């Protein structure tokens, strides 16, 4: 029996740069003390007050089938938050609650692309992007960025790629590069979408983690609200990665179709999780700043350490919880470096190659362990890189 091409092609197979990650996991399982700087998981857990709200909601009986689009009060809370931040009129009818940002990315592509359509994304990219696009039968097409432009897509590259495409997926603040798109980049993105009649899918799951510059949501740019689907999530902003709760904010007619899709796929998000998400959002921006604070501190620690040497190059992360380090001076690929670093120093990082062509010769470091261990690991990583430079 043959499975569908759509499902068998989600991941294209072969090496995808995740070997180091799985090797690190196996070493940890054997009891080896590995410093884990691979994935974007906080070193704190969900706040007990949020867990208490979840507990109270579950005991209060919110455990039955949930309302598929999301509870009216959570949708309204999300809409208010978006309207306050962007100034764009937003109501509950513009919101679908989803089981996390990933489900929202899938639904957004399902809503905008037919099989065979070209869907654009920016390289380096969050690992699931091409697979998400392939899973709806569309063809992913990368727009390559470079360290020289701070990993921001240029007007020219956007325009060249856009002809005949159906959608454009962007992510600012960016995983893996830490880029926060500038006014000029957003203007070019909006221009391209309007000129080539593209849907814009804007992944804003790191919108509470900005260290330099300001977060702009492209839905607020002139003429963009009717063609933009914004992806949001409680995972990064509230350390709720395991709760699986996020949203799509889009024009009302798009949401109507997305509710139909949700009815036939996820059937919504558990009611007690939705109540906890609503409680968390109602705690306001200070709580979000608390969750983001460790990454801001470690980003500052990183800049201090990195400035003292010139072997490991970097584009300063303007947002998110990662550093993208250029280790090309060692003569190694990101994959070779990550493997050798794991063997020699027991430090696990992601090879840049797992995030696309543009990140070759780089490694991504997740700033997700306590400050002192983090600083020591970064110092060791730099010393290791320095020792690898051909004499
Ligand atoms: N988008 C980006 C850029 C991410 O880095 C992640 C997770 O790491 C997600 C989306 C998915 O997040 P979640 O499904 O936990 O909301």
């Amino acid at each position: 029996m043959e499975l569908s091409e759509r499902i068998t092609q989600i991941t294209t197979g072969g090496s995808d740069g995740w070997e180091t990650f799985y090797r690190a996991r196996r070493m940890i399982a054997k009891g080896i003390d590995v410093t884990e700087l691979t994935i974007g998981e906080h070193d704190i857990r969900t706040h007990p007050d949020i867990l208490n709200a979840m507990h109270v909601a579950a005991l209060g009986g919110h455990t039955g089938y949930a309302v598929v689009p999301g509870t009216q009060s959570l949708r309204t809370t999300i809409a208010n938050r978006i309207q306050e931040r962007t100034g764009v009129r937003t109501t509950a009818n513009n919101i679908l609650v989803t089981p996390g940002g990933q489900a929202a990315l899938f639904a957004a592509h399902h809503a905008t692309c037919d099989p065979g359509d070209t869907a654009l994304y920016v390289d380096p990219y969050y690992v699931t992007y091409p697979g998400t696009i392939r899973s709806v039968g569309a063809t992913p097409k990368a727009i390559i960025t470079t360290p020289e432009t701070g990993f921001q897509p240029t007007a020219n590259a956007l325009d060249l790629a856009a002809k005949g495409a159906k959608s454009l997926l962007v992510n600012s603040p960016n995983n893996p590069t830490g880029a926060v798109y500038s006014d000029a980049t957003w203007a070019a993105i909006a221009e391209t979408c309007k000129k080539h009649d593209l849907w814009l899918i804007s992944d804003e799951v790191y919108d509470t983690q900005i260290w330099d510059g300001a977060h702009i949501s492209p839905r607020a740019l002139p003429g963009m609200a009717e063609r933009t689907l914004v992806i949001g999530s409680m995972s990064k902003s509230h350390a709720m990665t395991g709760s699986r709760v996020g949203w799509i904010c889009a024009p009302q007619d798009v949401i109507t179709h997305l509710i139909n899709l949700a009815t036939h796929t996820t059937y919504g998000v558990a009611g007690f999780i939705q109540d906890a998400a609503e409680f968390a959002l109602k705690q306001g921006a200070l709580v979000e700043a608390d969750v983001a604070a460790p990454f801001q501190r470690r980003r500052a620690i990183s800049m201090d350490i990195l400035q003292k040497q010139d072997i490991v190059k970097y584009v300063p992360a303007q947002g998110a919880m990662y550093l993208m380090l250029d280790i090309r001076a060692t003569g190694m690929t990101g994959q070779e470096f990550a493997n050798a670093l794991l063997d020699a120093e027991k430090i696990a990082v992601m090879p840049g190659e797992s995030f696309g062509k543009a990140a070759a010769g780089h490694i991504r470091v997740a700033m997700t362990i306590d400050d002192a261990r983090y600083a020591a690991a970064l110092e060791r990583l730099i010393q290791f890189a320095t020792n690898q430079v051909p004499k």
Side-chain angles (χ1 to χ4, degrees), residues 74 78-79 81-82 94-101 103-105 202 204-205 207 229-235 237-238 245-250 255 277 281 288:
L74 176 57
I78 295 167
R81 179 179 187 264
I82 293 174
N94 298 114
I95 306 294
L96 171 77
V97 175
T98 62
L105 284 164
S202 177
E204 303 181 18
V205 305
D207 67 347
L229 287 73
V230 174
I231 309 296
S233 173
M234 301 295 291
S235 288
S237 58
H238 292 80
V245 56
W247 61 82
I248 302 182
C249 174
I255 294 294
L281 288 173
E288 296 173 12

Short mmCIF file of all heavy atoms in Angstrom, two decimals, residues 74 78-79 81-82 94-101 103-105 202 204-205 207 229-235 237-238 245-250 255 277 281 288:
data_model
loop_
_atom_site.label_atom_id
_atom_site.label_comp_id
_atom_site.label_asym_id
_atom_site.label_seq_id
_atom_site.Cartn_x
_atom_site.Cartn_y
_atom_site.Cartn_z
N LEU A 74 -11.43 33.99 25.96
CA LEU A 74 -10.00 33.94 25.56
C LEU A 74 -9.81 34.64 24.22
O LEU A 74 -8.86 35.43 24.05
CB LEU A 74 -9.50 32.48 25.48
CG LEU A 74 -8.05 32.34 24.98
CD1 LEU A 74 -7.07 33.14 25.85
CD2 LEU A 74 -7.62 30.87 24.93
N ILE A 78 -7.29 37.80 23.70
CA ILE A 78 -6.22 37.82 22.69
C ILE A 78 -6.43 39.02 21.75
O ILE A 78 -5.49 39.77 21.45
CB ILE A 78 -6.18 36.49 21.90
CG1 ILE A 78 -5.80 35.33 22.82
CG2 ILE A 78 -5.22 36.60 20.71
CD1 ILE A 78 -6.03 33.94 22.22
N ALA A 79 -7.68 39.21 21.32
CA ALA A 79 -7.98 40.31 20.39
C ALA A 79 -7.63 41.66 21.04
O ALA A 79 -7.02 42.52 20.39
CB ALA A 79 -9.45 40.27 20.00
N ARG A 81 -5.45 42.25 23.40
CA ARG A 81 -3.99 42.37 23.51
C ARG A 81 -3.41 42.82 22.16
O ARG A 81 -2.55 43.70 22.09
CB ARG A 81 -3.42 41.01 23.92
CG ARG A 81 -1.91 40.94 24.06
CD ARG A 81 -1.57 39.52 24.50
NE ARG A 81 -0.18 39.32 24.85
CZ ARG A 81 0.72 38.82 24.00
NH1 ARG A 81 0.36 38.55 22.77
NH2 ARG A 81 1.95 38.62 24.40
N ILE A 82 -3.89 42.21 21.07
CA ILE A 82 -3.37 42.56 19.74
C ILE A 82 -3.75 43.99 19.39
O ILE A 82 -2.91 44.76 18.89
CB ILE A 82 -3.88 41.55 18.69
CG1 ILE A 82 -3.27 40.17 18.95
CG2 ILE A 82 -3.59 42.03 17.27
CD1 ILE A 82 -3.80 39.05 18.08
N ASN A 94 -11.76 37.78 14.82
CA ASN A 94 -10.49 37.70 14.07
C ASN A 94 -9.56 36.63 14.65
O ASN A 94 -8.42 36.49 14.18
CB ASN A 94 -9.74 39.04 14.12
CG ASN A 94 -10.51 40.16 13.47
OD1 ASN A 94 -10.91 41.11 14.13
ND2 ASN A 94 -10.72 40.04 12.17
N ILE A 95 -10.04 35.91 15.67
CA ILE A 95 -9.13 35.00 16.38
C ILE A 95 -9.61 33.56 16.34
O ILE A 95 -10.79 33.27 16.61
CB ILE A 95 -9.01 35.41 17.88
CG1 ILE A 95 -8.62 36.88 18.04
CG2 ILE A 95 -8.03 34.49 18.63
CD1 ILE A 95 -7.24 37.26 17.54
N LEU A 96 -8.68 32.64 16.04
CA LEU A 96 -8.91 31.21 16.26
C LEU A 96 -7.86 30.75 17.27
O LEU A 96 -6.66 30.98 17.06
CB LEU A 96 -8.74 30.42 14.96
CG LEU A 96 -8.74 28.89 15.15
CD1 LEU A 96 -10.16 28.37 15.36
CD2 LEU A 96 -8.09 28.18 13.97
N VAL A 97 -8.29 30.10 18.34
CA VAL A 97 -7.35 29.52 19.31
C VAL A 97 -6.90 28.16 18.76
O VAL A 97 -7.73 27.38 18.27
CB VAL A 97 -8.02 29.37 20.70
CG1 VAL A 97 -7.08 28.66 21.68
CG2 VAL A 97 -8.42 30.75 21.24
N THR A 98 -5.60 27.92 18.80
CA THR A 98 -5.04 26.68 18.22
C THR A 98 -4.19 25.94 19.26
O THR A 98 -3.75 26.55 20.23
CB THR A 98 -4.14 27.00 17.00
OG1 THR A 98 -3.03 27.80 17.47
CG2 THR A 98 -4.88 27.75 15.92
N PRO A 99 -3.93 24.65 19.02
CA PRO A 99 -3.03 23.93 19.93
C PRO A 99 -1.57 24.31 19.65
O PRO A 99 -0.80 23.54 19.11
CB PRO A 99 -3.28 22.46 19.63
CG PRO A 99 -4.42 22.42 18.68
CD PRO A 99 -4.54 23.75 18.03
N GLY A 100 -1.20 25.54 19.97
CA GLY A 100 0.17 26.03 19.78
C GLY A 100 0.37 26.72 18.45
O GLY A 100 -0.50 26.68 17.55
N GLY A 101 1.52 27.37 18.35
CA GLY A 101 1.88 28.09 17.13
C GLY A 101 2.07 27.15 15.95
O GLY A 101 1.76 27.50 14.80
N ALA A 103 0.51 24.33 15.16
CA ALA A 103 -0.79 24.01 14.55
C ALA A 103 -1.33 25.22 13.79
O ALA A 103 -1.98 25.08 12.74
CB ALA A 103 -1.79 23.56 15.63
N ALA A 104 -1.03 26.42 14.29
CA ALA A 104 -1.47 27.64 13.62
C ALA A 104 -0.74 27.82 12.29
O ALA A 104 -1.33 28.22 11.28
CB ALA A 104 -1.23 28.85 14.53
N LEU A 105 0.55 27.48 12.27
CA LEU A 105 1.33 27.57 11.01
C LEU A 105 0.76 26.62 9.96
O LEU A 105 0.64 26.96 8.78
CB LEU A 105 2.80 27.21 11.28
CG LEU A 105 3.65 28.29 11.96
CD1 LEU A 105 4.93 27.68 12.52
CD2 LEU A 105 3.97 29.41 10.98
N SER A 202 2.67 35.82 9.29
CA SER A 202 3.67 36.46 10.15
C SER A 202 3.74 35.72 11.48
O SER A 202 2.82 35.80 12.30
CB SER A 202 3.28 37.93 10.36
OG SER A 202 4.18 38.55 11.24
N GLU A 204 4.83 35.45 14.94
CA GLU A 204 5.27 36.43 15.95
C GLU A 204 5.36 35.79 17.34
O GLU A 204 5.11 36.44 18.35
CB GLU A 204 4.30 37.63 15.92
CG GLU A 204 4.24 38.25 14.53
CD GLU A 204 3.33 39.47 14.41
OE1 GLU A 204 2.97 40.08 15.43
OE2 GLU A 204 2.97 39.80 13.25
N VAL A 205 5.75 34.51 17.38
CA VAL A 205 5.73 33.81 18.68
C VAL A 205 6.78 34.34 19.65
O VAL A 205 6.69 34.09 20.85
CB VAL A 205 5.84 32.26 18.54
CG1 VAL A 205 4.76 31.71 17.62
CG2 VAL A 205 7.21 31.82 18.10
N ASP A 207 7.29 37.65 20.12
CA ASP A 207 7.05 39.10 20.17
C ASP A 207 7.31 39.74 21.53
O ASP A 207 7.40 40.96 21.63
CB ASP A 207 5.64 39.45 19.67
CG ASP A 207 4.53 38.94 20.58
OD1 ASP A 207 4.81 38.11 21.47
OD2 ASP A 207 3.37 39.36 20.41
N LEU A 229 -2.02 36.85 8.08
CA LEU A 229 -2.41 35.91 9.14
C LEU A 229 -1.28 35.93 10.16
O LEU A 229 -0.14 35.60 9.82
CB LEU A 229 -2.58 34.49 8.59
CG LEU A 229 -3.82 34.19 7.73
CD1 LEU A 229 -3.72 34.82 6.35
CD2 LEU A 229 -4.02 32.69 7.60
N VAL A 230 -1.58 36.35 11.39
CA VAL A 230 -0.55 36.43 12.42
C VAL A 230 -0.61 35.16 13.27
O VAL A 230 -1.69 34.72 13.69
CB VAL A 230 -0.76 37.67 13.31
CG1 VAL A 230 0.22 37.67 14.48
CG2 VAL A 230 -0.60 38.95 12.50
N ILE A 231 0.58 34.59 13.52
CA ILE A 231 0.68 33.39 14.36
C ILE A 231 1.16 33.83 15.75
O ILE A 231 2.19 34.49 15.86
CB ILE A 231 1.73 32.40 13.78
CG1 ILE A 231 1.48 32.11 12.29
CG2 ILE A 231 1.82 31.14 14.63
CD1 ILE A 231 0.20 31.43 11.96
N GLY A 232 0.42 33.47 16.78
CA GLY A 232 0.83 33.78 18.16
C GLY A 232 0.87 32.52 18.99
O GLY A 232 0.32 31.48 18.60
N SER A 233 1.54 32.60 20.15
CA SER A 233 1.67 31.40 20.99
C SER A 233 1.93 31.79 22.43
O SER A 233 2.58 32.81 22.69
CB SER A 233 2.82 30.55 20.47
OG SER A 233 3.07 29.48 21.36
N MET A 234 1.46 30.98 23.35
CA MET A 234 1.78 31.17 24.77
C MET A 234 3.09 30.46 25.14
O MET A 234 3.56 30.57 26.26
CB MET A 234 0.65 30.58 25.64
CG MET A 234 -0.71 31.16 25.41
SD MET A 234 -0.82 32.88 25.88
CE MET A 234 -0.68 32.78 27.67
N SER A 235 3.65 29.68 24.19
CA SER A 235 4.81 28.84 24.52
C SER A 235 5.98 29.66 25.03
O SER A 235 6.53 29.39 26.09
CB SER A 235 5.26 28.06 23.28
OG SER A 235 4.34 27.05 22.98
N SER A 237 6.16 33.21 25.37
CA SER A 237 5.86 34.40 26.18
C SER A 237 5.55 34.04 27.63
O SER A 237 5.79 34.84 28.53
CB SER A 237 4.68 35.16 25.58
OG SER A 237 3.54 34.33 25.51
N HIS A 238 5.00 32.85 27.87
CA HIS A 238 4.58 32.49 29.23
C HIS A 238 5.15 31.15 29.68
O HIS A 238 4.63 30.55 30.62
CB HIS A 238 3.04 32.46 29.31
CG HIS A 238 2.43 33.82 29.18
ND1 HIS A 238 2.25 34.43 27.96
CD2 HIS A 238 1.99 34.70 30.12
CE1 HIS A 238 1.71 35.63 28.14
NE2 HIS A 238 1.55 35.82 29.44
N VAL A 245 -0.93 25.91 23.36
CA VAL A 245 -1.97 26.90 23.11
C VAL A 245 -1.38 28.12 22.41
O VAL A 245 -0.36 28.67 22.81
CB VAL A 245 -2.76 27.25 24.41
CG1 VAL A 245 -1.88 27.74 25.53
CG2 VAL A 245 -3.88 28.25 24.14
N GLY A 246 -2.02 28.47 21.31
CA GLY A 246 -1.60 29.61 20.50
C GLY A 246 -2.80 30.13 19.74
O GLY A 246 -3.95 29.82 20.10
N TRP A 247 -2.54 30.93 18.69
CA TRP A 247 -3.68 31.47 17.95
C TRP A 247 -3.29 31.91 16.55
O TRP A 247 -2.11 32.05 16.24
CB TRP A 247 -4.30 32.65 18.70
CG TRP A 247 -3.37 33.82 18.92
CD1 TRP A 247 -3.06 34.81 18.04
CD2 TRP A 247 -2.63 34.10 20.11
NE1 TRP A 247 -2.18 35.70 18.61
CE2 TRP A 247 -1.91 35.28 19.88
CE3 TRP A 247 -2.51 33.47 21.36
CZ2 TRP A 247 -1.06 35.84 20.85
CZ3 TRP A 247 -1.67 34.02 22.32
CH2 TRP A 247 -0.97 35.19 22.05
N ILE A 248 -4.32 32.12 15.74
CA ILE A 248 -4.17 32.83 14.47
C ILE A 248 -5.05 34.05 14.55
O ILE A 248 -6.20 33.96 14.99
CB ILE A 248 -4.65 31.99 13.26
CG1 ILE A 248 -3.88 30.68 13.19
CG2 ILE A 248 -4.48 32.77 11.96
CD1 ILE A 248 -4.26 29.83 11.99
N CYS A 249 -4.51 35.20 14.14
CA CYS A 249 -5.30 36.42 14.01
C CYS A 249 -5.37 36.74 12.52
O CYS A 249 -4.33 36.84 11.86
CB CYS A 249 -4.62 37.54 14.79
SG CYS A 249 -5.43 39.13 14.55
N ALA A 250 -6.58 36.84 11.98
CA ALA A 250 -6.73 36.98 10.53
C ALA A 250 -8.07 37.65 10.22
O ALA A 250 -8.91 37.82 11.11
CB ALA A 250 -6.66 35.59 9.88
N ILE A 255 -10.97 33.37 9.26
CA ILE A 255 -11.19 32.65 10.53
C ILE A 255 -12.40 31.71 10.40
O ILE A 255 -12.36 30.58 10.90
CB ILE A 255 -11.38 33.66 11.70
CG1 ILE A 255 -10.08 34.44 11.94
CG2 ILE A 255 -11.85 32.95 12.98
CD1 ILE A 255 -8.90 33.64 12.44
N ALA A 277 -4.65 30.01 29.90
CA ALA A 277 -4.05 30.98 28.97
C ALA A 277 -4.68 32.36 29.17
O ALA A 277 -3.98 33.38 29.19
CB ALA A 277 -4.24 30.50 27.53
N LEU A 281 -2.65 35.70 30.23
CA LEU A 281 -2.63 36.93 29.43
C LEU A 281 -3.13 38.12 30.24
O LEU A 281 -2.62 39.24 30.11
CB LEU A 281 -3.47 36.77 28.16
CG LEU A 281 -2.88 35.85 27.09
CD1 LEU A 281 -3.89 35.63 25.96
CD2 LEU A 281 -1.58 36.42 26.52
N GLU A 288 5.09 38.89 31.34
CA GLU A 288 5.77 38.50 30.10
C GLU A 288 7.23 38.97 30.14
O GLU A 288 8.14 38.25 29.71
CB GLU A 288 5.03 39.10 28.89
CG GLU A 288 3.63 38.53 28.77
CD GLU A 288 2.79 39.19 27.69
OE1 GLU A 288 3.32 39.95 26.86
OE2 GLU A 288 1.56 38.94 27.68
#
